Amino acid sequence: MRSKAAYIPALLFLLAAAALIASGRIPHRVAYDQLLYHGRAIDIFAQQWPNVDLTDYLSATTPLFHLTLAFLKHTLGLSIAGMQILCALITAALLILLGKTAASSLKPLHAAAIVLPFAASMYVFASGTWILPDNTAWFFVLSLLLLALHPRFTPRHLLLGGILLTVLTCTRQIHFWTSGLLIAAAWLSPT
């Protein structure tokens, strides 16, 4: 039961997100970001693939999220709805990781109750239902945080942390602060 409770917020999120994705509705705040910036950047990169011009593109974030979706659009013909589904699945993975972490030290329903407000927040929900890079970055932030909190931080953890940090900062450069988590974990780790 303990591990199953971790899936409740993710399942509820996916049900709500699926309904909105199927409706085709895009709220004004999200439409601004998706239609003018992220969606257009992905379209331009997909058209330019594989010779993508990164010198002056439409987003204020580092381009890994956009490049990944542009590659999928170019090679698989991924539609807008397909990209939204992918963002929803990434968000579900974030919610499951958070739920499993909470369920490791709380009663299952308490863990689900703690994660539900996070899942329902307008920032997490919108980024998981429409094409925004935020939840992809938060997944890597949480992964790095959990890695840094490992009781015995080894060189293998540091290598994995370096890979996660690279992917994270190539997705959202603002999260470079998580490098401090790795430094602190390596410094404080018993040898």
Side-chain angles (χ1 to χ4, degrees), residues 92-164:
L94 169 64
L95 296 172
I96 289 168
L97 183 58
L98 186 59
K100 283 184 170 276
T101 302
S104 69
S105 59
L106 298 171
K107 292 180 181 177
L109 291 178
H110 291 171
I114 285 174
V115 176
L116 275 172
F118 178 78
S121 78
M122 71 178 211
Y123 299 105
V124 173
F125 189 82
S127 294
T129 307
W130 292 281
I131 305 170
L132 303 171
D134 305 46
N135 290 351
T136 302
W138 284 119
F139 176 83
F140 290 110
V141 167
L142 180 59
S143 299
L144 273 167
L145 177 60
L146 294 174
L147 184 70
L149 290 172
H150 195 275
R152 190 157 186 275
F153 196 79
T154 66
R156 178 179 276 170
H157 289 103
L158 188 59
L159 176 63
L160 177 58
I163 293 167
L164 290 171

Side-chain angles (χ1 to χ4, degrees), residues 36-123:
L36 296 179
Y37 297 105
H38 302 297
R40 284 184 59 206
I42 292 163
D43 287 343
I44 290 168
F45 288 169
Q47 291 167 10
Q48 295 174 340
W49 199 269
N51 300 315
V52 178
D53 179 12
L54 299 175
T55 57
D56 187 29
Y57 82 104
L58 297 170
S59 179
T61 65
T62 41
L64 185 59
F65 176 81
H66 304 97
L67 288 170
T68 303
L69 291 179
F71 172 76
L72 294 172
K73 181 174 184 168
H74 178 78
T75 57
L76 304 176
L78 194 64
S79 67
I80 295 291
M83 289 182 225
Q84 287 179 265
I85 291 167
L86 185 58
C87 288
L89 292 173
I90 291 166
T91 300
L94 169 64
L95 296 172
I96 289 168
L97 183 58
L98 186 59
K100 283 184 170 276
T101 302
S104 69
S105 59
L106 298 171
K107 292 180 181 177
L109 291 178
H110 291 171
I114 285 174
V115 176
L116 275 172
F118 178 78
S121 78
M122 71 178 211
Y123 299 105

Side-chain angles (χ1 to χ4, degrees), residues 9-19 85 88-89 92:
L11 180 61
L12 293 174
F13 163 77
L14 284 173
L15 290 171
I85 291 167
L89 292 173

Side-chain angles (χ1 to χ4, degrees), residues 6-31:
Y7 295 94
I8 293 170
L11 180 61
L12 293 174
F13 163 77
L14 284 173
L15 290 171
L20 285 170
I21 292 169
S23 77
R25 183 182 175 281
I26 304 175
H28 178 70
R29 187 192 77 79
V30 176

